Amino acid sequence: MNIKLSQHLPKTHTQKILKKEAKNKDDACLVVLVDDKKNILANSMLTDYTARIEQLIEVSHFKGTACETVADYALAGDKKTTKQNPVQLLLVGVGNTDKFSNTVLQKIAKTIYSSTQKRVSSITVALGDALEESHFGQFALNLLAASYRFDKYKSEQATPVLTDIYLLADNSLQPALAFAEAVFAGQSLTRDVANEPGNICFPAYMAEQAQELAKTYPDLLTVKVLGEDEMSALGMNCFLSVAQGSTKEGQLVIMEYRGKSSFSANAGTTEQTISNAKVTGLKKALADKLPTKKSAKKSDKASDNNAQATNDDAPIVLVGKGVTFDSGGISIKPGAAMDEMKFDMGGSASVLGTIKALCEARLPINVVGALACAENMPSGDATRPGDIVKAMNGKSVEILNTDAEGRLVLADTLCYVQRYNPKAIIDVATLTGACVVALGHVRSAVFSNDEDVLFDLENASNLSGDLIWHMPLDDEYQALIDSPIADIQNIGGKGAGAVTAACFLSRFIEEGQAWAHLDIAGTAWNSGKDKAATGRPVPLFMQYLKNSADMA
């Protein structure tokens, strides 16, 4: 889909007056937005069409309620008027403009696209100055997102006629449009990989997608992949406890986006560390890979300029849960809707998509993306409920339920990425059904140990329309995951399931490390007949990273 800003109304051309709905694929359509008071948005830019628009509003009893539509197929008026101005009109109601939200803009965008995709090749949407910059960006992104299709496995594919969208608005909005296009590119990749079936998308497939990105953007992105042997040498036994039940090898994919300056991990390159581990054993590997103390604590930063400079170059780390299919393992799930467990890698898919969007937008910021990819399957080698394993940071974990596996792959990955001494770590995961019960499918849950990170995420949520909700992380919840025979158990009781999952992850964050956890179990995909990935929270992440880059 091509989308551009324009300061011109669609060109008119003479044609024979039709007696029925126009079906010429070369036709253009002018989309006019009308509020619930029958005010025409961008009215000053539509003077050539004003009489026609007002007549159409009157004869159709158009009320301007959100997503209401009426079309004029260039047949209105007398013969002379129609021949001079044959462009089709589509009136779309937007409701109360004071109540614009991403949800409303998404519905309006979908209405515009669905009303025009099969019959015109281009549309011009008259916006003028009706939308502020953040709403304009959301609207543009939603128009593009409405065109997304995943029908590669259908023997017959219907190709939309609509190929070009022009937004009649000021040129000052060009940066916002370019950013929306970058987000759409990343969001589409997220949806593509998440929509793939489990027999196509498994851990090695995710690694291949990351490596393809590195080939496309070699000046910005490098990718490293750790297999099970490397993870075993590093003591990542929580991760391996999930992967060991499948014939598909688990993969930890590390993507380093250098948009600002170079940065490095404490322990040097992965290859050097793995080599050392093989020579001197597991103990040396763990010592190399565990996070070291930061050069300055938060309270010391103001007085330590060198530490501040180092912190400015430090990356933000995004960690995605990538369980490419979740059967539940030995704690096997019910059969109903188990096919939707292909979406359990939605966290890693969103990190992959965010990295692509970053490369498209070329934001001046350093970011590390980590994809914790495994397949959770029952087999003779699968982990049993009651097994105890040791994580990379040396903590022992009693696995009471093998279907609480996402937190296990994330635990070791969180230990691993802290070697970057990042400004902040944000993990994202389709982690708990309890989160769906709590928040449904509107907002993602966010837990954090850092007020600044939480504030920045909430601000990005408001600007992007990709909504989150702050959840508690009180110390009192930690007792629910204490094990009588190990340091920690991987589930709590029946209550506060999303909270205890976040508490589990917090046990693997070093003191002083800023961290947030996003549970996207209710927002990563839509269920049922129209099951499909949503591409969230790529818009949230991109707005957060853009804001972070702007403040740097």
Side-chain angles (χ1 to χ4, degrees), residues 439-459:
L439 297 179
H441 305 285
V442 177
R443 292 179 182 262
S444 303
V446 61
F447 303 80
S448 183
N449 67 356
D450 187 277
E451 289 185 358
D452 291 338
V453 173
L454 178 62
F455 175 84
D456 291 342
L457 283 171
E458 290 180 328
N459 184 44

Side-chain angles (χ1 to χ4, degrees), residues 334-345:
M338 192 194 285
D339 59 295
E340 294 186 12
M341 288 300 97
K342 71 176 186 177
F343 295 120
D344 208 25
M345 40 68 72

Side-chain angles (χ1 to χ4, degrees), residues 4-74:
K4 297 179 181 178
L5 281 180
S6 175
Q7 281 71 51
H8 305 287
L9 293 170
K11 293 181 179 180
T12 62
H13 57 282
T14 58
Q15 65 180 32
K16 184 177 179 180
I17 305 304
L18 301 177
K19 299 300 182 183
K20 59 182 179 180
E21 176 178 327
K23 292 185 181 293
N24 188 331
K25 291 185 179 181
D26 294 326
D27 282 343
C29 179
L30 175 61
V31 179
V32 178
L33 307 181
V34 182
D35 69 15
D36 57 1
K37 296 179 182 178
K38 299 185 181 180
N39 295 317
I40 302 168
L41 277 60
N43 191 33
S44 62
M45 309 177 80
L46 299 169
T47 53
D48 292 342
Y49 293 86
T50 300
R52 192 170 153 204
I53 294 169
E54 291 177 346
Q55 182 184 28
L56 184 56
I57 290 175
E58 182 179 355
V59 300
S60 65
H61 303 289
F62 192 76
K63 295 181 175 60
T65 55
C67 300
E68 179 187 4
T69 63
V70 62
D72 168 3
Y73 301 105

Side-chain angles (χ1 to χ4, degrees), residues 246-323:
S246 172
T247 58
K248 305 294 187 183
E249 183 178 8
Q251 310 263 273
L252 175 56
V253 184
I254 303 297
M255 301 179 290
E256 296 177 347
Y257 170 85
R258 289 175 168 84
K260 183 178 180 183
S261 62
S262 61
F263 59 88
S264 61
N266 290 334
T269 65
T270 299
E271 291 78 12
Q272 291 172 333
T273 304
I274 297 303
S275 176
N276 292 339
K278 290 179 178 178
V279 172
T280 61
L282 176 60
K283 185 175 181 179
K284 176 64 168 62
L286 283 170
D288 282 344
K289 300 302 288 185
L290 283 173
T292 60
K293 297 295 183 183
K294 293 179 175 57
S295 56
K297 295 181 180 179
K298 286 185 177 181
S299 59
D300 300 329
K301 286 181 182 177
S303 61
D304 192 334
N305 293 330
N306 291 330
Q308 181 65 55
T310 301
N311 187 64
D312 286 343
D313 290 338
I316 292 172
V317 176
L318 306 178
V319 177
K321 172 189 172 184
V323 177

Side-chain angles (χ1 to χ4, degrees), residues 72-388:
D72 168 3
Y73 301 105
L75 300 177
D78 58 29
K79 186 173 183 180
K80 180 180 178 181
T81 303
T82 306
K83 289 186 71 175
Q84 289 177 343
N85 194 8
V87 175
Q88 299 180 33
L89 281 181
L90 174 68
L91 304 188
V92 179
V94 298
N96 187 342
T97 56
D98 292 333
K99 295 184 178 180
F100 273 160
S101 67
N102 185 62
T103 301
V104 173
L105 293 171
Q106 182 182 58
K107 291 178 179 178
I108 293 170
K110 285 183 176 180
T111 298
I112 292 171
Y113 183 80
S114 62
S115 300
T116 57
Q117 62 159 324
K118 295 181 180 179
R119 59 184 180 79
V120 292
S121 60
S122 70
I123 61 174
T124 299
V125 185
L127 294 173
D129 58 358
L131 299 179
E132 60 185 51
E133 184 174 337
S134 62
H135 282 156
F136 172 83
Q138 292 174 29
F139 180 71
L141 177 59
N142 284 318
L143 269 178
L144 289 167
S147 70
Y148 174 83
R149 308 172 68 82
F150 188 82
D151 55 6
K152 62 187 287 187
Y153 295 110
K154 287 183 175 289
S155 56
E156 295 183 8
Q157 299 172 348
T159 303
V161 176
L162 182 62
T163 57
D164 297 291
I165 297 175
Y166 299 95
L167 302 178
L168 200 62
D170 192 85
N171 273 331
S172 62
L173 292 170
Q174 183 57 48
L177 180 59
F179 185 72
E181 290 182 280
V183 175
F184 174 64
Q187 196 170 16
S188 295
L189 176 60
T190 293
R191 296 168 81 176
D192 282 344
V193 296
N195 284 329
E196 289 285 357
N199 62 318
I200 300 296
C201 180
F202 43 87
Y205 176 87
M206 293 296 292
E208 290 167 3
Q209 300 308 300
Q211 289 163 337
E212 285 300 313
L213 278 186
K215 291 178 183 178
T216 304
Y217 308 99
D219 59 323
L220 293 170
L221 187 64
T222 58
V223 172
K224 301 174 183 178
V225 181
L226 279 70
E228 291 184 2
D229 287 343
E230 290 87 351
M231 286 189 277
S232 178
L234 294 172
M236 302 177 76
N237 297 307
C238 282
F239 195 124
L240 294 173
S241 71
V242 178
Q244 69 190 42
S246 172
T247 58
K248 305 294 187 183
E249 183 178 8
Q251 310 263 273
L252 175 56
V253 184
I254 303 297
M255 301 179 290
E256 296 177 347
Y257 170 85
R258 289 175 168 84
K260 183 178 180 183
S261 62
S262 61
F263 59 88
S264 61
N266 290 334
T269 65
T270 299
E271 291 78 12
Q272 291 172 333
T273 304
I274 297 303
S275 176
N276 292 339
K278 290 179 178 178
V279 172
T280 61
L282 176 60
K283 185 175 181 179
K284 176 64 168 62
L286 283 170
D288 282 344
K289 300 302 288 185
L290 283 173
T292 60
K293 297 295 183 183
K294 293 179 175 57
S295 56
K297 295 181 180 179
K298 286 185 177 181
S299 59
D300 300 329
K301 286 181 182 177
S303 61
D304 192 334
N305 293 330
N306 291 330
Q308 181 65 55
T310 301
N311 187 64
D312 286 343
D313 290 338
I316 292 172
V317 176
L318 306 178
V319 177
K321 172 189 172 184
V323 177
T324 57
F325 189 83
D326 182 18
S327 70
I330 297 301
S331 308
I332 197 163
K333 294 178 179 289
M338 192 194 285
D339 59 295
E340 294 186 12
M341 288 300 97
K342 71 176 186 177
F343 295 120
D344 208 25
M345 40 68 72
S348 63
S350 71
V351 172
L352 182 70
T354 299
I355 296 296
K356 179 178 176 64
L358 274 172
C359 292
E360 286 287 313
R362 304 185 75 87
L363 291 183
I365 190 172
N366 293 331
V367 178
V368 173
L371 315 181
C373 301
E375 187 179 54
N376 188 24
M377 298 290 283
S379 74
D381 293 324
T383 295
R384 297 162 289 268
D387 285 359
I388 296 177

